[in-house]
C-alpha cells in the first residue's frame, strides 16, 4: 500500500481535450497523491469540481466513457439563429444538469455548494460585465459581487459559467444584490491555466502543485469557409493563446504537459476510440513526469521544507 501524499492540482481548460486530464490524474492517484486543494478553468473546472467532491480518477474515467458529449448540444433552434438571438448556439442547461447530478450523487445532497465540498476548490470564469476574471467562490464575497454567502454558491453553476465557450454556449447570468446581471463566459479568455492561484505568499511553498497542461490540437490550419467554421476558429484561437507564460515551471509548481493533437477544443462528436486515446495520452505524460529525476529532486525539496518548519509553540495560559 502506497503512502498518501498531499498536493494541489490545477487543471487547464481545453473543452473536449479535457478528457486527457483524467488520465494524468489517474497516474498521480495511483502513486499515492491526494488533493488538499484543486482549481481549474472550463473543462478543467469540471474535473476540479468532481475531484473536490471526492470522485477518484477511475470513476471519472467511467463517467467520461458513458457520457455522450453531443448531448450537451441543447440548441435553441437553428444554429445561426441561436448564435445571433441567444448569444450562443447551445443553451448549456444539459451540461449544468449533468454536473449538478454527478455532484449530488457523490455527496448525497441536492444543489451541492462550495461549502459542501470535502476538498477546497477554485473555479475561474470571465466576467464580461465588469471586464475581469472571477474566481469562485472567493471573489463572490468581494465587490463588485458582494454576495452574503459566497461559499453557499452552487458548484455546478460555477462550472456552467466557466465552461461557457463564447459563441458555442450561451453566457451565464449572475444576479447580484445591487440588481446588476453579470455576464459570465469561459474563464479561458483570461486564465485558461490558473496555476497562479496557488502561488505562495510570505515564503516558500510547503506543498507541491501539479499543473495538468493540455497542449496542441488547435495549432494546425483550420477551415474558415462558413460562418460556423469561422466562429470555431476564433474560439480556438482565443483559448489557445492564454497563459503561455504559466507553462513554465515555478518553484511551487511543475507542469505536466499532455499532447492532445489532433483533437480540438470543440470536437464534441469525438467517439469512444478518441476518448480512450486522450485518456492514454494523459497517462503517458504523467508517467513520464513522475519518472523524471528532476521531478524527484523537486519533490524532495518539499520534504526538506516540511522537516525544517519550526514547531509551533504551545499557547501560554
Amino acid at each position: 500500500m502506497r503512502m498518501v501524499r498531499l498536493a494541489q492540482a490545477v487543471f487547464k481548460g481545453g473543452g473536449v481535450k479535457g478528457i486527457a486530464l483524467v488520465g494524468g490524474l489517474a497516474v498521480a492517484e495511483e502513486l499515492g497523491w491526494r488533493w488538499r486543494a484543486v482549481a481549474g478553468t472550463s473543462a478543467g473546472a469540471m474535473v476540479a469540481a468532481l475531484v473536490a467532491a471526492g470522485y477518484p480518477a477511475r470513476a471519472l474515467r467511467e463517467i467520461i466513457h458513458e457520457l455522450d458529449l453531443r448531448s450537451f448540444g441543447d440548441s435553441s433552434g437553428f444554429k445561426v439563429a441561436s448564435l445571433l438571438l441567444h448569444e450562443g448556439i447551445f443553451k448549456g442547461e444539459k451540461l449544468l444538469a449533468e454536473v449538478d447530478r454527478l455532484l449530488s450523487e457523490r455527496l448525497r445532497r441536492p444543489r451541492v455548494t462550495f461549502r459542501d465540498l470535502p476538498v477546497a476548490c477554485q473555479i475561474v470564469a470571465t466576467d464580461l460585465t465588469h471586464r475581469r476574471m472571477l474566481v469562485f467562490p472567493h471573489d463572490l464575497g468581494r465587490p463588485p459581487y458582494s454576495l452574503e454567502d459566497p461559499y453557499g454558491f452552487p458548484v455546478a453553476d460555477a462550472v456552467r459559467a466557466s465552461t461557457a465557450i463564447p459563441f458555442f454556449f450561451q453566457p451565464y447570468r449572475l444576479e447580484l444584490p445591487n440588481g446588476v446581471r453579470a455576464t459570465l463566459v469561459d474563464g479561458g479568455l483570461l486564465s485558461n491555466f490558473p496555476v497562479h492561484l496557488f502561488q505562495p505568499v510570505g515564503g516558500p511553498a510547503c506543498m507541491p502543485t501539479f499543473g495538468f497542461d493540455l497542449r496542441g490540437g488547435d495549432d494546425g490550419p483550420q477551415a474558415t469557409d462558413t460562418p460556423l467554421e469561422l466562429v470555431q476558429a476564433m474560439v480556438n484561437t482565443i483559448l489557445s493563446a492564454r497563459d503561455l507564460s504559466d507553462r513554465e515551471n515555478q518553484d511551487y509548481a511543475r507542469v505536466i504537459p499532455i499532447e492532445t493533437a489532433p483533437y480540438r477544443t470543440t470536437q464534441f462528436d469525438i467517439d469512444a476510440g478518441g476518448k480512450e486515446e486522450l485518456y492514454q495520452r494523459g497517462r503517458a505524460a504523467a508517467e513520464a513526469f513522475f519518472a523524471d529525476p528532476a521531478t524527484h529532486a523537486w519533490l524532495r525539496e518539499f520534504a526538506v521544507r516540511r522537516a525544517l518548519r519550526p514547531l509551533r509553540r504551545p499557547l501560554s495560559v
Side-chain angles (χ1 to χ4, degrees):
M1 183 176 181
R2 290 186 179 274
M3 178 181 66
V4 172
R5 296 177 286 182
L6 292 178
Q8 300 172 139
V10 178
F11 303 102
K12 186 177 182 180
V16 171
K17 297 184 297 182
I19 294 170
L21 298 171
V22 178
L25 181 71
V27 172
E29 292 185 353
E30 288 165 10
L31 292 173
W33 291 101
R34 297 297 181 266
W35 314 110
R36 174 65 62 84
V38 294
T41 299
S42 195
M46 184 181 300
V47 173
L50 296 177
V51 169
Y55 278 101
R58 63 180 181 276
L60 295 182
R61 184 185 186 187
E62 295 176 2
I63 290 170
I64 287 172
H65 280 279
E66 293 174 359
L67 191 62
D68 181 3
L69 297 177
R70 293 171 298 182
S71 68
F72 292 155
D74 47 353
S75 176
S76 301
F78 293 106
K79 290 185 177 180
V80 174
S82 297
L83 179 60
L84 296 176
L85 298 177
H86 303 288
E87 305 168 305
I89 298 172
F90 307 126
K91 293 183 287 186
E93 293 178 1
K94 290 185 178 179
L95 186 150
L96 172 63
E98 181 65 14
V99 175
D100 208 18
R101 180 187 69 81
L102 290 170
L103 293 172
S104 296
E105 285 185 359
R106 184 68 187 183
L107 297 177
R108 300 188 178 183
R109 64 183 67 196
R111 298 298 283 158
V112 170
T113 68
F114 282 92
R115 183 177 293 106
D116 299 324
L117 296 176
V119 174
C121 179
Q122 298 182 77
I123 289 174
V124 176
T126 297
D127 180 351
L128 298 181
T129 301
H130 299 99
R131 303 180 300 280
R132 56 172 290 172
M133 179 174 71
L134 166 58
V135 180
F136 292 95
H138 307 109
D139 287 348
L140 293 179
R142 307 164 182 165
Y145 310 103
S146 302
L147 269 61
E148 184 176 341
D149 183 15
Y151 285 87
F153 193 83
V155 178
D157 285 64
V159 172
R160 165 68 177 88
S162 184
T163 55
I165 300 175
F167 308 119
F168 278 83
F169 289 104
Q170 295 174 16
Y172 179 87
R173 308 293 185 184
L174 176 62
E175 299 282 350
L176 302 181
N178 61 5
V180 172
R181 296 182 72 208
T183 298
L184 308 182
V185 296
D186 195 303
L189 269 68
L190 294 181
S191 186
N192 204 31
F193 192 33
V195 176
H196 66 277
L197 294 178
F198 292 133
Q199 184 171 357
V201 178
C206 290
M207 181 181 302
T209 295
F210 301 129
F212 294 84
D213 183 12
L214 303 172
R215 301 188 176 186
D218 298 314
D219 301 329
Q222 293 189 258
T224 56
D225 298 325
T226 68
L228 291 180
E229 288 175 344
L230 183 61
V231 167
Q232 186 175 37
M234 290 170 59
V235 170
N236 290 337
T237 299
I238 292 170
L239 297 182
S240 64
R242 298 294 93 191
D243 291 322
L244 296 181
S245 61
D246 280 344
R247 287 185 171 187
E248 300 302 322
N249 288 326
Q250 310 288 336
D251 288 341
Y252 65 94
R254 286 290 185 271
V255 172
I256 303 173
I258 305 173
E259 179 57 51
T260 60
Y263 298 99
R264 303 184 308 278
T265 297
T266 52
Q267 193 173 336
F268 296 109
D269 60 349
I270 189 171
D271 59 17
K275 291 179 181 180
E276 181 61 20
E277 182 176 355
L278 282 172
Y279 175 84
Q280 293 300 334
R281 296 271 192 93
R283 284 196 63 93
E287 287 169 352
F289 170 80
F290 285 109
D292 189 338
T295 300
H296 296 171
W298 175 66
L299 292 174
R300 282 197 296 271
E301 294 177 10
F302 290 94
V304 171
R305 290 174 195 169
R306 288 192 296 270
L308 294 178
R309 278 189 301 181
L311 296 175
R312 292 183 179 179
R313 294 182 180 180
L315 296 175
S316 58
V317 293

